[in-house]
Amino acid sequence: MTDDQGRRALVVRGGWEGHSPVEATDLFVPFLEKHGYEVHLADSPAPYADSALMSGIDLIVQCYTMGTIEPAELRGLEAAIRAGTGMAGWHGGIADSYRNSSDYLHLIGGQFACHPGKDPGERDGSQADNFVPYTVNMLPEASDHPITAGIEDFDLVTEQYWVLTDDYIDVLATTTQKVRPWDPWHREVTSPAIWTRRWGNGRIFVTTPGHSLDVLRNDSVRTIIERGMLWASR
């Protein structure tokens, strides 16, 4: 990949503080700057409604879990992506944003449903109740994709996202939720863990690992996010 000199990135961060949106995005701002991006920071989706601003944005990096989005903001976001602005994000910052908007869910192509947790007898009421060991399985057909080329299956102990999706996504990796004795489901469920989506002239990149800073610092996760941002960018 080559440096993208003279480009502009908008980092939208906020929402639920449990995903450390400022600290998480701060991990990637230097990478974007190194690749020649002028980085603009926002603490709400309000800039999406500014068409003059958005017309000059090449990449949106969103880390905004839950929260709400206003109709004008969603229209601006969709129009920018349709026109060629890329969008990238991880975990709840993109796949669990703006539950009030079905149109946003349609745009992204996948929505967090749950993160099944530990044995109830081992839970203590902390976020770690939902940290389980699981594997991110790279799809063989994605072995030469610029986001995932050369990356092998890898293991994590963190939130494992069960997501609801449609078939207009290009899946690069999956993760399979096992059936444990305390679970109410009766067969394994495989969800996309990394996917892309084309929307008009724009590209969208999503990866579900990324709950905490230690996960984002994992070599495979960090490489995938860095590559995904560059891939999505105009």
Side-chain angles (χ1 to χ4, degrees):
M1 292 184 180
T2 59
D3 289 352
D4 298 317
Q5 296 296 328
R7 303 214 171 174
R8 301 174 73 199
L10 172 65
V11 176
V12 174
R13 55 194 193 180
W16 184 59
E17 287 297 327
H19 285 154
S20 306
V22 172
E23 295 84 354
T25 50
D26 278 350
L27 290 177
F28 297 97
V29 168
F31 174 83
L32 291 171
E33 292 174 337
K34 177 182 175 182
H35 282 261
Y37 286 77
E38 176 186 330
V39 178
H40 301 259
L41 304 175
D43 60 6
S44 83
Y48 294 157
D50 184 341
S51 59
L53 171 68
M54 296 304 294
S55 66
I57 296 297
D58 299 292
L59 173 67
I60 299 160
V61 179
Q62 182 181 275
C63 185
Y64 205 97
T65 305
M66 296 183 278
T68 58
I69 191 168
E70 296 299 321
E73 295 164 355
L74 189 280
R75 286 194 300 270
L77 173 63
E78 193 275 342
I81 295 173
R82 185 191 294 253
T85 299
M87 186 170 186
W90 54 85
H91 203 63
I94 192 168
D96 190 22
S97 311
Y98 319 134
R99 296 176 184 177
N100 67 312
S101 174
S102 61
D103 287 337
Y104 174 80
L105 306 183
H106 185 215
L107 177 67
I108 299 302
Q111 166 63 28
F112 162 79
C114 67
H115 37 51
K118 296 177 179 176
D119 183 327
E122 299 177 359
R123 300 177 189 180
D124 61 10
S126 69
Q127 287 189 30
D129 288 350
N130 296 316
F131 294 176
V132 297
Y134 71 92
T135 301
V136 176
N137 300 111
M138 315 307 292
L139 296 188
E141 56 267 35
S143 62
D144 60 351
H145 194 284
I147 295 175
T148 49
I151 296 178
E152 304 291 336
D153 295 355
F154 58 94
D155 298 321
L156 296 170
V157 180
T158 183
E159 291 183 349
Q160 181 182 23
Y161 265 23
W162 178 328
V163 295
L164 308 179
T165 64
D166 60 37
D167 63 3
Y168 185 62
I169 61 173
D170 296 313
V171 180
L172 305 181
T174 62
T175 184
T176 298
Q177 172 62 54
K178 305 298 184 180
V179 181
R180 293 84 52 89
W182 58 90
D183 292 326
W185 49 90
H186 302 282
R187 62 176 184 266
E188 293 182 350
V189 176
T190 297
S191 294
I194 306 168
W195 73 86
T196 65
R197 192 170 180 88
R198 301 291 185 108
W199 199 258
N201 292 322
R203 295 176 171 188
I204 298 168
F205 156 77
V206 180
T207 185
T208 60
H211 173 77
S212 54
L213 300 180
D214 63 312
V215 176
L216 292 170
R217 291 187 178 109
N218 174 279
D219 288 344
S220 295
V221 174
R222 185 161 192 158
T223 297
I224 287 164
I225 291 173
E226 290 174 347
R227 291 179 179 180
M229 293 189 298
L230 297 182
W231 177 88
S233 181
R234 189 197 311 273

